Amino acid sequence: MIPPSERKKNSFTKSLKPSFGAEMKKYEELYAMFTNDGYTKELCEEYAEAFINNAKKPAADDIIQVASLYDKIYDNKSAAFYLEMLAEKKLGGDDRFNYCIEMLKAQSKLGRWRDAEDFRTENINFMQNTSQKKSISEQADMYIALALADCAAKRYRDAFKLMKFGYKPQGKNDTKLLDIMITGVYLIARSGETEGLEGAVESAHGCLKLFTEFEYRWSKKDYLSRIDKAAEGII
């Protein structure tokens, strides 16, 4: 969930609305919930209610962020439901790039591999071209989403190849490297290659042990849970 300061910086058009002050106050309340409790169903529902369900014209970035939050609590149906609101919208730039990533993830995790393939075919050129202007962390998000699509189609070899896109560790507290490793655990679990699963889980735990600090007090517990679930074929 992006910090309130970043939301303000990215919300020039929104800031012109008379309701902007009240909206920011509500967002700050939601962000406080997030920093205290992490990814919860209550957070998802309150965010969706305040900024989408009761909004005349929900902003694309709010819809995408709500979908991302539902993804984090493994509620892929709700994530896909909100993303469908943007299916006919003409998005551009960051919104379209982030929408593509979240939609690929949602469709793949729901097992809709044909839909995921069609969606990728339609948007891959845009995603690849846009990713060249993105940070390595954002590029990693794209490759993870593409790998999940291949995994849903049971093209495990292709999925593993995508995860070898050349990411280099960014220090001891590299959460994106951990995301990549957790995805690797998931891919192995889904492929049925049980011999490599234990090693992948150990590697993910080893990466987590290198961390000297965490952004939130609940982060370590959350990552441990994600590793366990990935080993069960859930991500």
Side-chain angles (χ1 to χ4, degrees):
M1 190 170 180
I2 67 170
S5 58
E6 187 174 340
R7 182 182 176 87
K8 286 181 181 178
K9 185 172 64 177
N10 298 336
S11 302
F12 175 74
T13 303
K14 293 179 184 177
S15 66
L16 301 177
K17 296 165 54 180
S19 60
F20 182 71
E23 289 178 0
M24 276 306 307
K25 182 178 180 181
K26 180 60 180 179
Y27 188 87
E28 288 167 356
E29 291 175 3
L30 292 170
Y31 191 73
M33 286 175 57
F34 169 69
T35 57
N36 287 330
D37 305 318
Y39 302 103
T40 64
K41 183 178 180 181
E42 181 183 6
L43 172 66
C44 294
E45 291 178 343
E46 287 204 22
Y47 192 143
E49 193 71 11
F51 290 94
I52 302 175
N53 301 347
N54 291 329
K56 291 182 179 179
K57 293 182 178 180
D61 56 346
D62 280 323
I63 293 173
I64 294 164
Q65 185 162 213
V66 163
S68 177
L69 292 175
Y70 272 112
D71 172 76
K72 293 293 188 182
I73 64 168
Y74 307 96
D75 188 347
N76 302 308
K77 287 185 178 179
S78 292
F81 170 80
Y82 283 104
L83 290 169
E84 284 296 334
M85 294 180 178
L86 299 174
E88 302 300 323
K89 301 288 185 181
K90 290 185 178 180
L91 303 175
D94 290 344
D95 283 343
R96 184 179 173 187
F97 185 74
N98 294 330
Y99 162 74
C100 287
I101 288 172
E102 293 302 327
M103 182 60 89
L104 264 181
K105 286 162 55 181
Q107 290 176 336
S108 301
K109 294 178 186 183
L110 288 168
R112 301 172 185 170
W113 65 272
R114 289 188 183 276
D115 290 337
E117 284 194 339
D118 290 342
F119 185 85
R120 176 167 60 183
T121 299
E122 182 180 347
N123 294 282
I124 190 62
N125 288 338
F126 166 80
M127 293 178 71
Q128 289 179 330
N129 291 335
T130 304
S131 72
Q132 294 176 12
K133 307 170 189 175
K134 297 291 185 179
S135 67
I136 188 65
S137 178
E138 291 172 301
Q139 290 177 34
D141 291 334
M142 180 188 74
Y143 282 107
I144 287 171
L146 293 171
L148 292 176
D150 276 335
C151 180
K154 299 184 178 180
R155 293 197 301 269
Y156 304 115
R157 189 182 300 274
D158 291 336
F160 287 124
K161 285 181 180 178
L162 281 166
M163 298 310 296
K164 297 177 181 179
F165 63 94
Y167 185 86
K168 295 181 180 179
Q170 307 294 304
K172 289 184 177 180
N173 306 310
D174 189 349
T175 57
K176 194 57 60 178
L177 176 61
L178 192 51
D179 287 339
I180 292 169
M181 298 184 81
I182 290 172
T183 303
V185 171
Y186 170 79
L187 295 178
I188 293 173
R190 297 293 294 182
S191 71
E193 294 183 11
T194 54
E195 290 184 6
L197 184 58
E198 184 176 347
V201 170
E202 288 180 1
S203 295
H205 279 294
C207 179
L208 187 59
K209 288 179 181 177
L210 292 175
F211 278 60
T212 57
E213 61 182 8
F214 294 93
E215 189 170 5
Y216 308 107
R217 60 179 178 79
W218 46 264
S219 293
K220 183 176 182 179
K221 183 178 179 181
D222 181 65
Y223 277 118
L224 287 169
S225 174
R226 287 176 58 193
I227 294 170
D228 290 342
K229 285 184 179 295
E232 297 173 2
I234 304 169
I235 196 171

